[in-house]
Amino acid sequence: MFLIYILRNDLRLADNPIFHTILTRAKPFSHVLPIVILPPSRIEVSGLATDKSPYPDARSRLGNFWRCGPHRVKFLSEAIFDVRASLRAMGSDLVIRVGPLEVVVDHLLQSDAFKGKPGAVWMTRDWATEEMAEERRIRNVVHAQGSEIEWTVWDGEDTLIHDDDLPVRPSELPGVFTSFRKSVEPLREHVRQPLSLPPSVRLPPLPDSIPGQVPPFTIPDSLPELISALQKPLSPVEPVPGHTAHPFTGGESHARKRVLHLLSSGAMSRYKDTRNGLLGEDFSTKLSGYLALGCITARQINELVVAFEDGTMPSASSAVGYGNGENKGTSAVRFELLWRDYMRLCMRKYGASLFSVYGFRGHQQGRPKQTNTQWKSPSADMETAKNMRELALTGYTSNRARQNCASFLATWLGIDWRLGAEWYESMLVDYDVASNWGNWQYVAGVGNDPRGSEDGKARRFNPVKQSWDYDKKGEYVRAWVEEISEVDDVDAVFQPWKLLQARRSSKQKESLQDLLMVKDPLVKIHYEKRK
């Protein structure tokens, strides 16, 4: 009996319910085919084609942005090849194909290698609407083969709190995060152990004959070739600057190393104090990209954190907080993992409303009037320039920067918040459907924000004040907006249009007066720092 396992956002072996079952079931499969399928509706695959691609460009609905930008396709490719290396070490492999998932599965089941033979098709569940529709189409293809093919969709085990341990069903999820959080406290005691892999085992072999990729696509043999092909239609791809806050490599092995580094360096114990940082690698965990692709699970992270807190991780024995139980840093990391759970549960509760302009709350003070994308310009305004440049060049900005930029776009410029969400989907290396769209709703005032008013009006951050609070010396701005890097007055760094005021030096005026952010910013925000 064969098994086809379709991997999506579960690119790992450990704490993987399907690999765990394959290796522990009483009646083993004769052959197992792990396969990753690149969907042309979400990933631009024309760079893998030897002729014109038969599929439309993988662009967003409103802004016509690439749905998966250059940084994420690189991180995804690295994650795919990392799990492939692990599978090869266990006597298996990972097959890569291109096409709508149901079409590729149908092609496999109709081939001589599988047709008329007993087998199974398994995958884990993803609750996003597109992925759920994808799942239904695959189910229909499998059921069309008759009763000889078993169809199973597994719980992906991708949340911190297991479904069976939730105090309410997702449909009854409280509209306020704090209420949900209190229902699962103390959080450290509510998290299950991750699934383990039996030691020193080998997976069943691949089927003897596997149908190849359908033309006009070809699958590269090496990681650099795959990255190059997927990035090709997305060009130009700028080199990542050395001061990026996210220089990390995708993949399960790298995810685990990252967690161990955070613990042994003391960075996780300091997380509560540093999480609003803007520059550097360790002010935040940078685990979101690994979580989004399923390279690691929240429960695996928790297990390692518990070992650190309990003093059973010798490699971190010299780190601050080791063996002293939960500290404010490790507690804050669990808090963020639970917020991630909450966003995923909101996605399950509200479904397609996640993508509605009216949001979870179902109403808003009129539709946003602005649908232009001038804000994407790297020079249009200081508030967008610093964040959009870092995002475009590295695929990453901090949580604080994301909130500030989203608030500026949605509440100061009045753009349709979904454009911002689409742009983040395109550019973020750590894009996650629920977290991205749920947090954009939250900031735009149409999501689960208890401080938003009943008429849908959002809270509004003052971005200049935020700069003074979290970038006191203007180091973040100067790092990404080189034109302003020589300006000494921090107030003018945050509000460049003030350079045209009479008291500024004529030299600075001459060199900067033609910049859009100086002469004609998208909006002038007047703010004076208290002395």
Side-chain angles (χ1 to χ4, degrees):
M1 183 175 179
F2 68 81
L3 170 66
I4 297 173
Y5 170 21
I6 306 164
L7 287 86
R8 294 193 293 182
N9 292 325
D10 47 358
L11 297 175
R12 65 185 183 279
L13 269 68
D15 199 24
N16 183 314
I18 292 183
F19 281 128
H20 178 81
T21 302
I22 291 170
L23 292 168
T24 57
R25 65 184 266 145
K27 186 177 180 181
F29 290 103
S30 60
H31 298 87
V32 173
L33 175 62
I35 183 169
V36 164
I37 305 171
L38 304 179
S41 61
R42 298 195 294 276
I43 299 173
E44 180 55 35
V45 295
S46 59
L48 294 168
T50 57
D51 200 351
K52 182 177 174 58
S53 171
Y55 304 112
D57 288 351
R59 292 185 178 273
S60 65
R61 185 168 60 90
L62 294 178
N64 202 37
F65 310 136
W66 292 116
R67 294 198 61 190
C68 187
H71 305 290
R72 186 150 55 95
V73 296
K74 178 177 181 294
F75 201 73
L76 171 63
S77 299
E78 292 165 345
I80 289 171
F81 269 74
D82 188 77
V83 75
R84 169 185 267 186
S86 298
L87 286 168
R88 286 177 172 176
M90 297 180 69
S92 183
D93 205 336
L94 181 64
V95 172
I96 304 170
R97 292 291 182 264
V98 171
L101 272 68
E102 68 277 8
V103 172
V104 174
V105 172
D106 187 54
H107 178 64
L108 290 172
L109 294 177
Q110 294 289 353
S111 69
D112 292 339
F114 301 101
K115 190 174 181 63
K117 299 176 183 177
V121 177
W122 290 356
M123 65 192 301
T124 58
R125 174 148 291 155
D126 189 317
W127 291 95
T129 52
E130 275 187 83
E131 285 77 2
M132 288 291 288
E134 189 174 69
E135 176 191 310
R136 290 191 291 270
R137 292 193 297 270
I138 298 170
R139 178 197 63 197
N140 292 338
V141 165
V142 173
H143 285 171
Q145 304 302 315
S147 58
E148 285 190 319
I149 307 297
E150 171 197 329
W151 164 246
T152 305
V153 180
W154 294 73
D155 179 351
E157 307 289 346
D158 60 345
T159 53
L160 185 66
I161 305 298
H162 193 280
D163 265 15
D164 293 341
D165 300 331
L166 291 171
V168 296
R169 294 189 296 269
S171 61
E172 301 167 340
L173 184 73
V176 177
F177 171 69
T178 302
S179 301
F180 171 66
R181 174 178 58 81
K182 289 180 178 179
S183 71
V184 292
E185 289 180 334
L187 187 53
R188 189 179 189 269
E189 312 305 322
H190 275 76
V191 184
R192 294 190 180 190
Q193 290 292 310
L195 299 169
S196 60
L197 282 176
S200 303
V201 295
R202 293 179 68 80
L203 285 162
L206 297 179
D208 296 331
S209 175
I210 303 171
Q213 171 63 51
V214 175
F217 300 100
T218 59
I219 306 300
D221 294 325
S222 72
L223 174 59
E225 289 176 318
L226 180 61
I227 294 172
S228 176
L230 290 176
Q231 287 185 336
K232 182 180 178 182
L234 313 177
S235 61
V237 179
E238 302 289 341
V240 177
H243 58 287
T244 175
H246 199 285
F248 307 109
T249 302
E252 180 180 17
S253 63
H254 299 282
R256 183 177 177 84
K257 289 176 185 176
R258 176 63 182 164
V259 180
L260 294 175
H261 164 77
L262 291 168
L263 292 167
S264 62
S265 67
M268 191 172 290
S269 294
R270 296 189 297 270
Y271 172 74
K272 176 75 171 180
D273 299 323
T274 64
R275 60 181 177 165
N276 284 312
L278 298 168
L279 291 169
E281 296 178 19
D282 288 348
F283 66 82
S284 66
T285 67
K286 310 297 193 306
L287 294 173
S288 50
Y290 297 115
L291 285 163
L293 294 179
C295 301
I296 197 168
T297 66
R299 291 175 215 162
Q300 287 178 290
I301 295 170
N302 181 73
E303 181 185 47
L304 293 170
V305 173
V306 168
F308 174 86
E309 294 168 337
D310 290 349
T312 57
M313 183 183 286
S315 62
S317 59
S318 61
V320 174
Y322 178 77
N324 294 328
E326 187 176 53
N327 58 49
K328 65 179 183 179
T330 58
S331 175
V333 169
R334 286 193 179 92
F335 178 95
E336 298 297 346
L337 291 172
L338 188 66
W339 175 259
R340 177 177 177 270
D341 275 15
Y342 184 67
M343 289 290 99
R344 300 175 91 76
L345 290 168
C346 284
M347 178 170 67
R348 291 171 63 176
K349 178 179 180 178
Y350 296 107
S353 294
L354 183 66
F355 310 101
S356 167
V357 68
Y358 303 112
F360 299 153
R361 303 171 74 172
H363 56 82
Q364 186 172 336
Q365 283 187 320
R367 294 175 65 91
K369 296 180 175 62
Q370 299 296 324
T371 57
N372 69 73
T373 56
Q374 184 183 0
W375 44 267
K376 285 173 51 201
S377 166
S379 302
D381 192 283
M382 175 54 71
E383 298 312 319
T384 56
K386 59 189 179 185
N387 297 308
M388 293 303 169
R389 291 188 193 189
E390 182 185 20
L391 182 60
L393 289 172
T394 73
Y396 183 84
T397 62
S398 69
N399 180 61
R400 176 58 52 184
R402 294 182 202 193
Q403 288 191 60
N404 289 342
C405 188
S407 179
F408 179 71
L409 295 177
T411 67
W412 288 89
L413 299 186
I415 73 155
D416 186 330
W417 64 268
R418 296 172 300 170
L419 284 170
E422 285 186 353
W423 183 242
Y424 274 30
E425 174 181 352
S426 175
M427 298 309 297
L428 283 173
V429 72
D430 61 354
Y431 170 73
D432 173 275
V433 177
S435 295
N436 182 65
W437 288 84
N439 280 308
W440 267 93
Q441 283 203 19
Y442 184 90
V443 174
V446 296
N448 285 347
D449 182 356
R451 287 164 58 186
S453 65
E454 287 302 316
D455 60 7
K457 186 177 180 181
R459 70 174 88 189
R460 185 161 79 163
F461 297 161
N462 184 311
V464 182
K465 181 183 184 300
Q466 292 280 308
S467 293
W468 279 111
D469 288 345
Y470 300 106
D471 188 26
K472 297 183 187 300
K473 298 180 181 179
E475 295 171 328
Y476 175 71
V477 173
R478 291 188 176 99
W480 296 108
V481 188
E482 295 180 359
E483 307 95 294
I484 304 295
S485 62
E486 299 301 320
V487 175
D488 296 327
D489 187 342
V490 179
D491 191 40
V493 168
F494 298 151
Q495 303 172 91
W497 54 270
K498 288 188 174 182
L499 288 169
L500 298 183
Q501 294 178 354
R503 69 178 185 271
R504 309 295 174 178
S505 71
S506 59
K507 183 177 180 181
Q508 285 186 344
K509 286 182 184 179
E510 291 175 5
S511 61
L512 301 173
Q513 64 184 357
D514 291 333
L515 293 176
L516 279 175
M517 68 180 72
V518 174
K519 68 178 183 180
D520 189 25
L522 296 175
V523 61
K524 290 183 180 180
I525 299 175
H526 295 266
Y527 178 80
E528 296 295 334
K529 182 178 182 293
R530 293 180 179 178
K531 303 296 184 183

